[in-house]
Amino acid sequence: MKKIFYSLLFCPGLLLAQEIDQAAIAKIRKEGMENSKVAEIAHQLTDVSGPRLTNSPGFQRAAEWSVSELKKWGLQNSRIEDWGEFGKGWQVEKSYLAMTKPYYMPFIAIPKAWTSGTAGPIKGEVVVVNIQNEEDLKKYADGKLSGKIVLVKGPADTDPTFKPDAVRYTTEDLDKMTNSQPFGPSNFTPEQAERMRTMRSFRSRVDSTMKAQKVSLELAGRAGKHGTFFTSNGASYKGDAPLAGPAFEMAPEHAGLVARLVESGIPVTLEAESQTSFFDKKLTTGNVIAEIPGTDPKLKDEIVMLGGHLDSWHSATGATDNAAGCTVMLEAVRILQASGLKPRRTIRIALWSGEEQGLHGSRNYVKNTFGDPQTMKLMPAHEKLSAYYNIDNGTGRIRGIYLQGNEGPRAIFEKWLAPFTDIIDHPTVTSRNTGGTDHQSFDALGLPGFQFIQDGIEYGSRTHHTNADTYERLVMDDLKQMAVVVASFVYNTAQLDQKIPRKELPKAKTAASVGR
């Protein structure tokens, strides 16, 4: 092991000496910038396919269209490859929520994912509950909420915004990313990550309490501003999970309106109707997979992968999260095919399912294909992968790449970014990791997995998991730039004499850590 690892550390100098095929890069640029199909691809994945919760009809439409299109472009082995059991699909069939007293006002709201419908229109006076901790929960354990429309009041920052929603990294931001922040497990501090876990767990217990109390309808204001709100799930998608009662998420401004009226002694009457469908005849699901076969007899069995997650949340059409990434990756392989390039290694694209519920598609693909990160029992294919490249940070253009703590390829990637300084301002290579995206499934098994640095644009403020994540939020020129850069990285990786350098293999998980 040690001998192999140290030999890899000395590869970068050899790889760096290998010249870039400038003619190939020129072909990639020309095809990607002059004949781009990103607008058409994005339209199909968002407007035509619709919301894409895993195992929903929308996800299936997007997956089948992608397989068909990849075949048309000439890729081989284009298919939906099952990885195992996910659970139930779900979609909204009808959604309506409005205040009728003290006056009429339609509300911005949508059912929580995997919740039941209302079984027809309902109407009633609202009870507002303020549940911030376990003691608050105990106050509502006596059945007093049974049959009520209940608004669970929550904290929401609805103050004016004095910063722009859409932002790009400055040179100072990128320098700080490179020089001041070391590699870590995610963009979140341990304290922030723990707060997020606690919040999710507590929110789940609140939902369970509402169900146990047999409320007529649960309402929850979510974080967001100006009519935008961040959505989530209200029940389990597992095949054997019990059905949850009807529940809506709503814009914080409308939740705040109801709460203020009720708390000032003014009764509020709401009317609502939701119809939802569950899809549980087939609980397994898969990823979209296709290949451009390698042409070098000695290297064609080795693989270069690129991908992004195809599933989305349900309150919009999942444009920046993550139709953008899938659009870029589809366009990248289309560019390579249309340019007539003949990669030495096989190039494999993957569009993942179940990412939003825990990287399920990529984690199971890695486990089924390369090895088990829990036991570190590796399969022969583990030695055949050179690298995996991922896009999942919105519509913003590429500004560089995260090394995920793997310093071996730094000089190589810096060389590959150099020809694009006209379309990448201040190209940056950082040791850091960008958080919970599918490249981490590869990294967990010691495989080189990378996410590109992207401008944030409106990702955190407007689009990520929100009811505003639609086609209009995509910046087509940024998608073009990304597709060209990704295609060049993938092609350069396929042409190298050696594979991309790796980190030392992770250790197998102990029995105690596996159970956490």
Side-chain angles (χ1 to χ4, degrees), residues 427-477:
T428 299
V429 179
T430 175
S431 181
R432 289 178 58 203
N433 160 38
T434 185
T437 70
D438 288 295
H439 71 288
Q440 291 184 312
S441 299
F442 291 80
D443 183 72
L445 199 65
L447 294 165
F450 306 101
Q451 163 73 31
F452 290 93
I453 301 169
Q454 297 173 248
D455 281 331
I457 310 298
E458 304 164 310
Y459 196 61
S461 60
R462 280 288 173 181
T463 65
H464 171 246
H465 295 186
T466 77
N467 60 317
D469 194 9
T470 62
Y471 182 90
E472 288 79 6
R473 303 275 61 79
L474 297 173
V475 181
M476 294 303 165
D477 284 344

Side-chain angles (χ1 to χ4, degrees), residues 174 177-179 399-403 406-407 409-415 417 426-432 453 489:
L174 294 167
M177 188 181 296
T178 303
N179 302 317
R399 304 295 298 276
I401 194 165
Y402 297 95
L403 290 176
N406 181 3
E407 286 294 323
R410 176 182 288 274
I412 305 164
F413 289 166
E414 288 174 345
K415 182 176 180 180
L417 289 168
H426 201 69
T428 299
V429 179
T430 175
S431 181
R432 289 178 58 203
I453 301 169
F489 261 67

